[in-house]
Amino acid sequence: MAIKEELLITFGAEIIHLPQSEFLFKENTAPSYYFQIKEGKIKLTNIKPGDGEFIQNIHEKGESVGEVFLFCKHHRYPVNAVASDNCTIFKLERSKLLELLESDFSTQLEFLNSCAKRTYYSYVFLNSLTLEDATHQLLTILDHLKESENKTEKFSYKIPYTRKELSSLTGLRIETVIRILKRLQSEEVVKILKGRVFY
């Protein structure tokens, strides 16, 4: 959910620059700021010893990062936020965010709607993890990505992530993701052109 940039600036947001691979925040630190991406991509991750990285989500230009954690008093971030590429980010103190939301009811409703959508998706995805069907897990991610861009026609959505990122998002091995995508292409569920996946 994007809060209008002018509103953020009016309420005192500063603009910070984050180089690729740098942390925006780390797991087990206390949330104090609202972050909104002006340019770049941020991934929310957990590091699994021996298994590498599990990506919880990837946020892009115009999206907020970790905003729901600002409303869990005495809780700490359960994830890391890491720059996938060079980022420019709005940073606003929690108290100023609350003032902003109190001052503009329509922005407040949009904010709540965004939080509700993310919570809904988390439940849908967690439900898919209870199944042993790896194809269903991958399709759950693809469906969410496509719906979030309001794409409905077949092959109208170009998946913006690599096979490795899809692997980290689903918890599947990269070889499994590659095998599933090849099968889905033969079944005409996805189309692969010049290495890019269209769904």
Side-chain angles (χ1 to χ4, degrees):
M1 176 238 157
I3 294 176
K4 291 176 183 172
E5 294 184 1
E6 312 84 69
L7 259 181
L8 290 172
I9 292 166
T10 298
F11 279 85
E14 60 179 301
I15 294 176
I16 60 172
H17 301 283
L18 196 67
Q20 184 176 9
S21 301
E22 287 291 316
F23 287 88
L24 180 62
F25 55 77
K26 291 186 178 181
E27 190 173 353
N28 293 319
T29 59
S32 300
Y33 296 95
Y34 170 81
F35 299 107
Q36 184 170 299
I37 303 169
K38 183 173 176 62
E39 294 291 339
K41 288 196 298 190
I42 297 282
K43 57 185 177 179
L44 298 183
T45 71
N46 294 105
I47 305 301
K48 301 187 294 181
D51 276 341
E53 177 182 65
F54 178 69
I55 299 176
Q56 298 271 0
N57 213 330
I58 298 177
H59 298 294
E60 301 185 11
K61 179 178 178 176
E63 295 183 338
S64 51
V65 181
E67 72 286 352
V68 294
F69 306 121
L70 289 169
F71 298 91
C72 302
K73 280 194 174 181
H74 313 299
H75 285 76
R76 296 178 176 269
Y77 286 119
V79 293
N80 300 301
V82 184
S84 294
D85 47 36
N86 293 333
C87 295
T88 304
I89 296 168
F90 286 104
K91 176 182 175 183
L92 182 67
E93 288 181 24
R94 179 184 182 275
S95 61
K96 297 293 185 183
L97 171 68
L98 296 178
E99 285 178 29
L100 187 159
L101 293 175
E102 285 176 10
S103 75
D104 189 322
F105 186 63
S106 63
T107 299
Q108 188 181 130
L109 285 179
E110 286 177 32
F111 185 88
L112 290 171
N113 184 48
S114 174
C115 291
K117 282 181 180 175
R118 288 189 184 174
T119 303
Y120 172 79
Y121 165 69
S122 295
Y123 279 110
V124 169
F125 182 64
L126 284 172
N127 187 46
S128 79
L129 292 179
T130 64
L131 305 172
E132 292 185 12
D133 182 359
T135 301
H136 182 73
Q137 286 177 236
L138 183 58
L139 284 172
T140 298
I141 288 282
L142 299 186
D143 284 338
H144 168 67
L145 293 171
K146 188 171 180 174
E147 284 172 18
S148 67
E149 292 294 320
N150 296 316
K151 302 282 186 181
T152 55
E153 293 183 19
K154 195 171 188 179
F155 310 136
S156 62
Y157 180 64
K158 182 168 84 170
I159 305 301
Y161 305 127
T162 64
R163 273 62 163 179
K164 184 178 180 189
E165 287 173 323
L166 288 172
S167 165
S168 296
L169 279 164
T170 56
L172 300 171
R173 293 169 48 89
I174 191 167
E175 298 83 2
T176 303
V177 170
I178 292 167
R179 190 176 63 250
I180 292 169
L181 288 173
K182 284 181 180 174
R183 194 181 75 248
L184 291 175
Q185 181 180 32
S186 69
E187 294 170 358
E188 297 187 354
V189 176
V190 301
K191 186 187 287 185
I192 301 175
L193 298 172
K194 296 180 180 179
R196 304 303 306 193
V197 179
F198 293 81
Y199 180 54

